[in-house]
Amino acid sequence: MIKSRSTKIGDWVIAFICLLCVLVCLLPLLNILARSLSSADALVKNEVLLLPKGLNFDAYMTVLGDSKYTWSLLWTAILTVICTVWSMFMTVMCAYPLIYDNLKGKKTIIAIILFTMYFSAGTIPTYLLLKELHLLNNPLVLILPNSISVFYVIIMRSFLFGIPDSLRESAELDGAGPLRVLISVYLPLSTPVLATLALFYAVGRWNGFSDALMFMSDRTYFPIQLLLYNILNSITSVEVATQEGFSNPGLSETIKSATVMFATVPILLVYPWLQRYFISGVTIGAVKG
């Protein structure tokens, strides 16, 4: 197929825009990487842009040699896995019944679910509720309150709704119940949307820190992002700097940059494994139904 000149120009414009988006995302990361590998003198003189000056790995040795960082990273990884598995279970269990036309009160249930998407009680009522449930300063407070996303439920339901009813009816004729149909028919066909939503949930939990900031005081269960938040703020707070193990608020720029890389790279490594499911999972789940 021969493309017209206007089509070729359009392709080049789109490619240029995509390149700009890539650079906008990539250049700050390269700058942080260069700063984490540079000497303190080079950073003080503001000589570091995209390439490290005075190459050294002291910052990474400091970060990896401190049990506070390694445990926070390990705890965040464990928390991310638990939250992702639990959230996916809740999402599937919520979305799957809504594809049945004979579900009693289906419209009411959908209306209630959609209502929670646009309206919430707010931070203070949520805090008081968690306090009454004795979840404050409890690791479960990082898992249960945000265990499901209404938007992701809608995507999941749309994807399941797009699977031909004939497949379900064939399984039901063979004596399969609703749970068996879900496990044997729907889930094997839903790999793209499952992988995509799992990635969304995992990234959201890995990057989350506001819930721990508001509801947790036990530093043992601080996720890596909250630890990073405290470290980056320590340059202006003597109290936080002391808590983080630094004798003064003038935290080394190399340590801060290394900590940012330390908290960012692990979740970035997940994307290549799920990339092939990403586009199909989002587009199919979003337009069907």
Side-chain angles (χ1 to χ4, degrees):
M1 180 178 179
I2 300 177
K3 296 183 179 180
S4 63
R5 181 172 180 177
S6 59
T7 302
K8 292 181 179 179
I9 294 176
D11 290 343
W12 279 106
V13 171
I14 294 174
F16 178 74
I17 294 175
C18 291
L19 179 61
L20 288 180
C21 292
V22 170
L23 292 177
V24 168
C25 296
L26 186 60
L27 291 181
L29 186 63
L30 292 178
N31 177 256
I32 293 295
L33 177 61
R35 294 171 70 87
S36 68
L37 295 173
S38 299
S39 64
D41 292 338
L43 293 179
V44 170
K45 296 177 182 178
N46 199 25
E47 297 177 346
V48 180
L49 186 58
L50 297 179
L51 296 176
K53 297 292 183 67
L55 181 65
N56 71 82
F57 298 91
D58 294 343
Y60 288 96
M61 297 300 294
T62 301
V63 172
L64 294 176
D66 193 328
S67 59
K68 174 173 70 272
Y69 298 104
T70 53
W71 162 246
S72 182
L73 180 65
L74 177 61
W75 163 242
T76 306
I78 296 173
L79 183 64
T80 299
V81 171
I82 294 175
C83 288
T84 301
V85 173
W86 173 246
S87 295
M88 289 303 302
F89 173 79
M90 293 291 292
T91 301
V92 172
M93 290 296 101
C94 183
Y96 175 59
L98 297 178
I99 69 174
Y100 284 86
D101 294 330
N102 59 351
L103 177 66
K104 294 183 179 180
K106 176 180 177 180
K107 293 184 178 179
T108 303
I109 295 173
I110 293 177
I112 293 174
I113 291 175
L114 291 177
F115 180 85
T116 64
M117 182 176 179
Y118 297 103
F119 302 97
S120 63
T123 302
I124 295 178
T126 300
Y127 182 90
L128 295 176
L129 174 62
L130 295 176
K131 181 180 180 180
E132 290 297 322
L133 295 175
H134 303 288
L135 289 177
L136 294 182
N137 204 33
N138 187 321
L140 290 177
V141 80
L142 303 178
I143 301 174
L144 297 181
N146 298 315
S147 58
I148 193 169
S149 167
V150 175
F151 180 67
Y152 298 161
V153 170
I154 295 173
I155 293 179
M156 188 73 203
R157 176 188 175 274
S158 299
F159 190 95
L160 296 177
F161 197 80
I163 296 177
D165 292 339
S166 58
L167 298 177
R168 183 183 72 207
E169 294 169 355
S170 298
E172 291 174 345
L173 289 175
D174 291 335
L179 186 59
R180 184 66 179 178
V181 171
L182 173 64
I183 296 175
S184 301
V185 177
Y186 282 100
L187 291 185
L189 297 174
S190 303
T191 302
V193 71
L194 291 175
T196 301
L197 296 185
L199 177 62
F200 287 164
Y201 275 123
V203 172
R205 178 61 270 175
W206 182 274
N207 291 332
F209 75 96
S210 59
D211 50 354
L213 179 64
M214 291 185 291
F215 307 132
M216 291 290 298
S217 59
D218 187 351
R219 300 174 61 79
T220 304
Y221 298 106
F222 277 10
I224 187 66
Q225 298 299 340
L226 180 55
L227 183 66
L228 175 61
Y229 172 82
N230 287 338
I231 290 174
L232 294 180
N233 281 344
S234 66
I235 192 170
T236 57
S237 172
V238 176
E239 181 181 357
V240 174
T242 303
Q243 290 176 353
E244 296 300 336
F246 299 97
S247 58
N248 60 75
L251 184 63
S252 170
E253 289 292 330
T254 56
I255 297 293
K256 291 199 298 182
S257 300
T259 308
V260 172
M261 296 300 300
F262 189 65
T264 304
V265 170
I267 197 64
L268 290 180
L269 298 178
V270 177
Y271 280 90
W273 299 95
L274 300 176
Q275 184 181 8
R276 58 175 176 159
Y277 301 113
F278 189 80
I279 296 178
S280 59
V282 172
T283 55
I284 295 177
V287 300
K288 286 193 175 182

